[in-house]
Amino acid sequence: MEQTQSSPKPPSRVPNAKGKGADAGEPSASGSTPAPAEQDYPRPRTKAERRELQERQRAAKAAAKRNAGLVPPASAKGAPAAGAAKGGASTSASTSARGGTAVTAAAGRGVKELKPTPGAEDVGGHSHGLRIFSHFALQKIATHVAKGDVHPSIVQLGLMFSEFKICGANARCIATLSAFKEVIQDYETPPNNTLSRHLMTHLSTQISHLVSARPMSVTMGNAIRQLKLEISNSDIDLPEQDAKDELCHKIDNYIRDRIIIADQVIQETAMKKIHDGDVILTYARSSVVEKVLLEAWSEGTHFSVIVVDSRPMLEGKRLVSVLAAASIPCTYLLLPALGSVITEVSTVFLGAHSIHSNGAVYSRAGTALVAMLAKQHSVPVVVCCETYKFSEGVQLDSFTKNELAPVGDFFNSFPLTRPRDSLALKNRPNLEILNPLYDLTPPSSITAVVTEVGVIPPNSINSIPLALGRQPF
Amino acid sequence: MATDLYNPASQRAVEALAAKLRRRQVLGSRTAALETVVVLRQVISKARFTNIEQLVGIIRSVGRKLVEAQPKEHAVGNTVRKLLHLLREEYHNATKRSASTSPGGFSIAKFVLQGQPKKQAAGPKAESSLVLREDDPDDPDSFARTLKPVLMEAIQDVLDELETVYDNISKSAKDHIHSDEIILTIGQSHTVEAFLKSAAHYRNYTVIVAESGPSYGGHDMANSLSSAGISTFLVPDSSIYALMSRVNKLILGAHAILANGGMFAVTGSLLAATAAHAHSTPVVVCAGQFKLTPLWNLYHEYAALDFADPSSVLGFEEGDLVDKVDVLNPYYDYVQPELVDVYITNDGDHPPSSVYRLIKESYGDEDKL
């Protein structure tokens, strides 16, 4: 019985793969191959026949791939765009269902299966290296086409996300929740439906639009999960407007408790780590670290700040202008220059996008380098992070989940002294430009994490849910 | 030293090179070394001296002038020292007509005193028939006349070595790079570029180039490598740690190799080397032998070597922010010897722990400019 069961697998596997390929618009040559597979439906009985069938299908698949390689580039251009869109669509569909990190693995698998054909035409003689980074599925910027019933404030928000006008984990979360408040107020339960069930599906459409603009941040994911919990717990008997008001009130409380007040507690705790005459180093721009520094300065402590910055986003410039406006003595330099100043630094303050249960910090690309070099020179590294940024699961390296910035001079981050045509701003044959936006700092490089429930060493991050009186995830 | 640069043409040449160095118009250590050799050749060919001390004095004063013009360009001083060393060697060869060292005379005392066991063994190569008469009152030019051709040959050797530096370094390229490897490099270095291009003839591999702000030399490097058919990725410096777990080797260029085995390299190299060390990735440095510098002090970590224009970090387009903020743009990093695994030079591969021996062999002990 087992033997005959194993035989259908080869014929059924081939049409499946071809089916997915057909979805992404793989050239029509593949369409012809399922036909021979179907012809073999009267199953071969002997082992030799089965092996012969497998060989035939393998040869047919190889022939189809070769034909696909000869098909003119027009269809190939369709394939990568469709492939990327498909990758994005599958990400959004599954994200709205779970909003976890396991999703990107599925998207990655989907994209990897499509990858061989688009990669072959895109770059003549694609190599091992180009395939390695292929799972960084690049989001298309111009998805202004809203699918389904998307609220105008969500459309506006999606546009601002994709243009990076709102960036930073806290800012994005607050913006999303505020937009959701408007969505909820404008929502009307259709007849024969309950608010608690239908509102969820309505919100899912909004969420998929936001994700298609830019992958969701962990903060947004946690906040949305909490919101969905509140919606499902809302009382069925409440009149609609009351239920909506209660939800908006809960959203306000979430923002107030988990973000605003948490930030204030973190400010007061971290301020105690700054003493007179200190040289504080920070990287890029973290909203929490900015608040800590401003608060410490207004309390009268005299210190100076070194802001380290880097492409692609060059966010540190904004931080420098805020600190300089408050008359804090600042030094500004780019990341490669860090080696020359690290010997003078007393403490390093960093922000985080999210923090994992093993204590690894997922933050702006470049943070890992700063933390590593500081640790080497025995400079304490302090990460300021609210508890709502806690992300379940353990990420082992920066590849599992990352986002690429758009190629080219999107942020105007190149110096004016350098003529634009001497820079490589576009992909060329044999040259691909990658701008990862995030990286993972291992817990060994971090000295302490300041949260609103206290200052904890990185490997005790797991105890946060218990400290908040909740179930551990 | 009134007889120094008595020759006005040589004086002009030296002044011209010193001015170029001062204005930083000489780009790259190899160019600086080549121009120094050319100028010294001209000085020596026109110089008039009657004994070895005068010749050494002439060369020393020229060297001092050039080094003072640009103390951060170590290749100049290195080349002058090397020439002096060769000069002394030729002189010693020429004057030792008798069987100087006993051919099996390898004694510990000699090894410690002179520290050049290799050269000693190869010492009496030129059983020269030169008859050198120093300070001859009848024929003051005889010394110079007999010695000059020999010196010119030695200078030509140095020039040849400098001109073939890239080819010699690239000879071992295919042994260091395997198929399907991922190599990471920082900014732009002609030596590394030649190395990678030569390996590309034999192997198929990928290169990741980090841009290296604010000069962004990585863009030129990436353009050049991709035009040579090597599949290249261009990434900003911020993602070096993120990508390091996938990188098989880090290949860097050097500005100067110091006597303790450490090096000065373009800024960003310390970050990359530290990240590679954290991931146990080998760090390979490609540099010509003319970059070996007999310098070392305890304070390399605390003082950046040289600074470049800050407007490429924070330019005047930022408005009044420029007044309120200090901007730093150091050009070089000091990388400790513990972080480097091998130096690939035109004279073979050496670990950092044996750099001191290379320096003893190339430069004499007496020559401190």
Side-chain angles (χ1 to χ4, degrees):
Chain A
M1 226 43 214
E2 282 81 24
Q3 291 212 335
T4 43
Q5 269 180 3
S6 70
S7 71
K9 275 205 208 112
S12 60
R13 200 182 42 201
V14 172
N16 266 347
K18 286 290 178 290
K20 271 195 186 157
D23 264 1
E26 219 178 82
S28 52
S30 68
S32 55
T33 11
E38 276 148 39
Q39 281 173 8
D40 293 314
Y41 191 68
R43 286 187 205 135
R45 296 282 163 198
T46 65
K47 235 188 199 167
E49 280 178 33
R50 265 181 261 134
R51 206 177 301 131
E52 197 199 299
L53 170 68
Q54 261 182 307
E55 291 299 320
R56 230 183 303 139
Q57 282 161 353
R58 213 174 289 148
K61 209 174 174 183
K65 255 202 194 114
R66 251 180 285 119
N67 287 341
L70 294 173
V71 167
S75 58
K77 279 201 198 115
K86 181 183 179 303
S90 68
T91 322
S92 60
S94 18
T95 314
S96 52
R98 280 173 36 203
T101 51
V103 167
T104 17
R109 252 181 280 125
V111 179
K112 247 184 237 154
E113 249 173 288
L114 303 168
K115 189 54 194 176
T117 342
E121 282 95 12
D122 263 357
V123 180
H126 69 285
S127 80
H128 175 64
L130 290 172
R131 293 203 305 273
I132 281 191
F133 302 126
S134 62
H135 69 285
F136 282 167
L138 189 58
Q139 297 287 338
K140 287 280 177 192
I141 294 186
T143 38
H144 303 318
V145 179
K147 291 182 198 152
D149 184 16
V150 184
H151 193 273
S153 62
I154 298 287
V155 175
Q156 188 186 25
L157 194 62
L159 201 56
M160 290 210 273
F161 278 176
S162 62
E163 309 264 298
F164 289 88
K165 295 270 188 294
I166 299 183
C167 54
N170 284 347
R172 282 210 278 165
C173 182
I174 295 180
T176 314
L177 288 178
S178 314
F180 277 171
K181 276 197 328 197
E182 287 185 42
V183 172
I184 290 178
Q185 287 297 356
D186 290 346
Y187 167 76
E188 278 171 17
T189 321
N192 298 331
N193 260 315
T194 50
L195 179 119
S196 50
R197 286 206 204 105
H198 192 259
L199 183 56
M200 292 251 237
T201 32
H202 184 68
L203 280 182
S204 301
T205 339
Q206 322 298 322
I207 293 170
S208 15
H209 180 82
L210 285 180
V211 170
S212 69
R214 216 188 134 185
M216 197 152 68
S217 66
V218 168
T219 45
M220 279 162 66
N222 288 347
I224 290 173
R225 196 177 314 133
Q226 185 67 19
L227 180 61
K228 287 189 175 170
L229 191 65
E230 297 295 342
I231 294 178
S232 59
N233 285 344
S234 76
D235 199 349
I236 295 192
D237 297 325
L238 273 183
E240 184 169 317
Q241 190 54 43
D242 286 351
K244 292 200 287 193
D245 286 339
E246 194 190 323
L247 282 175
C248 290
H249 189 62
K250 291 235 165 74
I251 291 181
D252 283 332
N253 283 351
Y254 188 86
I255 296 181
R256 187 198 63 202
D257 294 336
R258 308 297 300 271
I259 307 181
I260 312 275
I261 295 196
D263 278 354
Q264 284 175 354
V265 176
I266 293 178
Q267 273 173 45
E268 283 165 22
T269 327
M271 233 169 56
K272 302 197 189 102
K273 307 286 175 197
I274 304 181
H275 315 286
D276 271 333
D278 270 356
V279 177
I280 310 287
L281 185 120
T282 183
Y283 179 73
R285 183 186 169 271
S286 161
S287 48
V288 191
V289 174
E290 184 182 300
K291 289 181 191 164
V292 167
L293 294 175
L294 289 173
E295 180 76 19
W297 184 260
S298 65
E299 289 289 310
T301 334
H302 285 286
F303 56 94
S304 62
V305 178
I306 299 182
V307 177
V308 181
D309 206 5
S310 170
R311 277 203 75 243
M313 288 185 74
L314 276 192
E315 300 170 294
K317 274 191 197 165
R318 279 168 56 202
L319 178 63
V320 163
S321 47
V322 168
L323 295 180
S327 314
I328 303 181
C330 299
T331 309
Y332 179 76
L333 39 83
L334 291 187
L335 185 57
L338 183 60
S340 311
V341 297
I342 192 70
T343 44
E344 304 176 17
V345 174
S346 21
T347 328
V348 175
F349 278 85
L350 297 172
H353 172 101
S354 72
I355 190 161
H356 293 273
S357 43
N358 63 339
V361 169
Y362 186 72
S363 182
R364 183 65 67 215
T367 314
L369 284 169
V370 174
M372 169 196 71
L373 204 65
K375 204 66 205 267
Q376 257 229 335
H377 285 85
S378 309
V379 176
V381 176
V382 176
V383 175
C384 302
C385 179
E386 302 89 341
T387 55
Y388 86 112
K389 285 179 177 166
F390 178 58
S391 155
E392 59 201 65
V394 175
Q395 201 175 327
L396 293 174
D397 60 14
S398 321
F399 285 96
T400 328
K401 180 180 115 168
N402 209 326
E403 190 188 333
L404 291 181
V407 173
D409 200 6
F410 191 76
F411 299 100
N412 281 332
S413 42
F414 287 109
L416 293 180
T417 46
R418 184 81 197 227
R420 286 291 177 273
D421 44 5
S422 66
L423 294 168
L425 292 175
K426 284 198 290 270
N427 284 344
R428 287 167 33 173
N430 281 329
L431 177 64
E432 195 174 319
I433 301 182
L434 287 181
N435 292 324
L437 283 177
Y438 294 104
D439 73 10
L440 194 74
T441 310
S444 48
S445 303
I446 300 170
T447 317
V449 180
V450 178
T451 65
E452 71 263 28
V453 295
V455 182
I456 39 188
N459 27 31
S460 310
I461 295 288
N462 255 326
S463 58
I464 291 184
L466 290 176
L468 290 171
R470 297 197 177 107
Q471 296 291 333
F473 288 104
Chain B
M1 295 275 183
T3 50
D4 278 352
L5 303 168
Y6 182 75
N7 187 324
S10 331
Q11 214 167 4
R12 266 199 302 264
V14 172
E15 291 296 339
L17 181 57
K20 268 169 80 173
L21 285 170
R22 209 175 292 125
R23 284 186 237 125
R24 295 173 196 265
Q25 281 174 330
V26 182
L27 294 172
S29 4
R30 185 168 160 263
T31 336
L34 277 169
E35 301 217 9
T36 313
V37 175
V38 166
V39 163
L40 275 174
R41 183 169 62 178
Q42 185 175 6
V43 167
I44 291 180
S45 65
K46 302 253 174 65
R48 305 166 83 195
F49 47 90
T50 48
N51 58 27
I52 188 69
E53 293 309 316
Q54 281 184 355
L55 179 57
V56 168
I58 292 175
I59 299 183
R60 269 219 185 128
S61 65
V62 170
R64 209 171 291 131
K65 219 178 233 151
L66 292 176
V67 167
E68 269 168 16
Q70 184 53 276
K72 312 286 167 85
E73 187 53 79
H74 298 285
V76 172
N78 297 346
T79 324
V80 176
R81 284 190 197 97
K82 190 161 181 78
L83 277 175
L84 270 178
H85 178 66
L86 281 175
L87 189 165
R88 283 188 209 273
E89 245 188 33
E90 294 295 337
Y91 174 69
H92 285 304
N93 278 344
T95 49
K96 282 182 190 156
R97 264 161 278 132
S98 54
S100 46
T101 24
S102 44
F106 182 81
S107 75
I108 295 289
K110 282 219 186 68
F111 178 74
V112 168
L113 281 176
Q114 258 135 344
Q116 303 165 31
K118 260 185 11 191
K119 294 281 165 67
Q120 276 291 33
K125 55 162 169 89
E127 292 296 338
S128 56
S129 45
L130 288 177
V131 176
L132 283 174
R133 273 186 317 231
E134 299 189 333
D135 294 320
D136 191 342
D138 317 316
D139 193 4
D141 285 332
S142 69
F143 179 74
R145 228 180 352 196
T146 32
L147 197 55
K148 269 192 199 171
V150 184
L151 289 181
M152 287 302 143
E153 261 185 50
I155 294 182
Q156 191 56 40
D157 282 340
V158 174
L159 260 180
D160 288 336
E161 186 193 319
L162 279 174
E163 274 166 12
T164 55
V165 111
Y166 294 157
D167 298 326
N168 286 332
I169 291 182
S170 316
K171 269 192 211 152
S172 58
K174 68 179 190 303
D175 299 324
H176 285 281
I177 300 184
H178 321 299
S179 285
D180 274 353
E181 267 202 328
I182 301 188
I183 310 279
L184 175 66
T185 183
I186 311 275
Q188 182 179 42
S189 158
H190 290 293
T191 321
V192 175
E193 203 179 311
F195 188 81
L196 291 174
K197 281 184 181 169
S198 126
H201 291 309
Y202 305 95
R203 309 265 186 257
N204 221 342
Y205 61 95
T206 314
V207 177
I208 305 180
V209 181
E211 285 178 335
S212 168
S215 56
Y216 296 107
H219 286 256
D220 302 312
M221 182 81 156
N223 278 334
S224 158
L225 288 177
S226 55
S227 325
I230 306 177
S231 58
T232 319
F233 284 96
L234 182 61
V235 299
D237 323 293
S238 44
S239 47
I240 291 177
Y241 195 91
L243 297 171
M244 191 57 80
S245 56
R246 288 297 182 100
V247 167
N248 298 114
K249 278 195 183 71
L250 174 66
I251 300 191
L252 297 173
H255 170 73
I257 304 178
L258 303 175
N260 65 341
M263 66 162 181
F264 289 131
V266 91
T267 176
S269 308
L270 177 62
L271 279 178
T274 321
H277 201 247
H279 287 87
S280 299
T281 305
V283 177
V284 170
V285 176
C286 299
Q289 285 247 333
F290 64 95
K291 291 183 177 169
L292 286 168
T293 315
L295 282 184
W296 179 71
N297 68 45
L298 289 171
Y299 301 105
H300 290 305
E301 278 198 37
Y302 296 90
L305 188 59
D306 206 359
F307 294 89
D309 170 24
S311 72
S312 34
V313 176
L314 195 72
F316 287 101
E317 69 269 13
E318 302 296 327
D320 55 356
L321 197 57
V322 172
D323 279 337
K324 303 183 190 162
V325 173
D326 280 336
V327 177
L328 276 188
N329 190 1
Y331 204 70
Y332 295 114
D333 265 346
Y334 167 67
V335 180
Q336 300 94 324
E338 295 82 28
L339 296 175
V340 177
D341 285 302
V342 65
Y343 285 106
I344 298 183
T345 68
N346 49 330
D347 205 16
D349 308 343
H350 305 276
S353 44
S354 59
V355 167
Y356 79 96
R357 228 180 322 125
L358 290 176
I359 290 186
K360 253 199 163 330
E361 284 172 5
S362 314
Y363 308 122
D365 279 334
E366 313 92 345
D367 299 316
K368 288 175 180 48
L369 275 171

